[in-house]
Amino acid sequence: MAGSSDKIVMLLIGAAIVVFLIYRLYLWLQTSPRSFIKDKIPINKVIHPHPAVDLLEDAGYEVVGGKLKIPLSFTLNGSRLYSQLFIDYIAVLDEDEEEDQDKYKDRHKDKDPYYLVILARPRKQLEFTGSGLRDAVLPYLLIYPQCSGILYVNPATSAIHRITFGRDDGESN
């Protein structure tokens, strides 16, 4: 009888150790800088037709996701304020086009192949200056730092601007 209770105690200790190890692994994956659980770009499978989709496909991109709404909340002097960011589409570079982009890919090995697509709005034009790009696209790149960049699409002019993020080391003129 004593041997039976020893086995039960050992089994309980073993189960506790397994649960603890799984919990620690989960915590480590959550806090890892290259975590595959945290900050993953969600993909909305509903893709509404738009001239921008055709424009992207003609330029060698494949649209893999539809509109995303990113809810944000801020606290200002104890009051809660809410806002949203919108991503119009998620696109990836087609495999044929990727071969032409080997030099680009070598510099961005740690990035996901996804591009966030933002459509030009008549009431909110993007200013193509350093500070204009910083103000308009930096929030997206900070929320999803692993994305390859942003595609700013203006269907009215058939223009696609690929915006990637880098830090200035202070040595460039």
Side-chain angles (χ1 to χ4, degrees), residues 62-124:
E62 177 187 356
V63 177
V64 295
K67 185 177 272 298
L68 295 174
K69 179 171 60 170
I70 304 165
L72 303 171
S73 71
F74 304 93
T75 303
L76 175 66
N77 298 329
S79 297
R80 210 71 160 147
L81 303 172
Y82 300 94
S83 185
Q84 300 168 345
L85 285 176
F86 293 95
I87 298 171
D88 294 299
Y89 296 101
I90 305 292
V92 295
L93 199 56
D94 274 344
E95 292 175 16
D96 299 335
E97 296 291 326
E98 283 182 13
E99 294 171 6
D100 298 335
Q101 300 284 331
D102 283 338
K103 187 169 88 173
Y104 175 77
K105 282 172 43 179
D106 288 342
R107 289 184 289 156
H108 300 282
K109 290 177 190 167
D110 58 337
K111 302 288 185 184
D112 283 347
Y114 298 110
Y115 287 91
L116 309 177
V117 178
I118 309 298
L119 298 181
R121 304 279 192 272
R123 297 176 123 196
K124 191 178 179 184

Side-chain angles (χ1 to χ4, degrees), residues 26-40 112 146:
Y26 175 77
L27 288 179
W28 177 74
L29 289 174
Q30 287 289 330
T31 59
S32 172
R34 296 179 54 100
S35 174
F36 62 88
I37 294 176
K38 188 165 89 172
D39 296 328
K40 199 71 172 159
D112 283 347
Q146 77 282 4

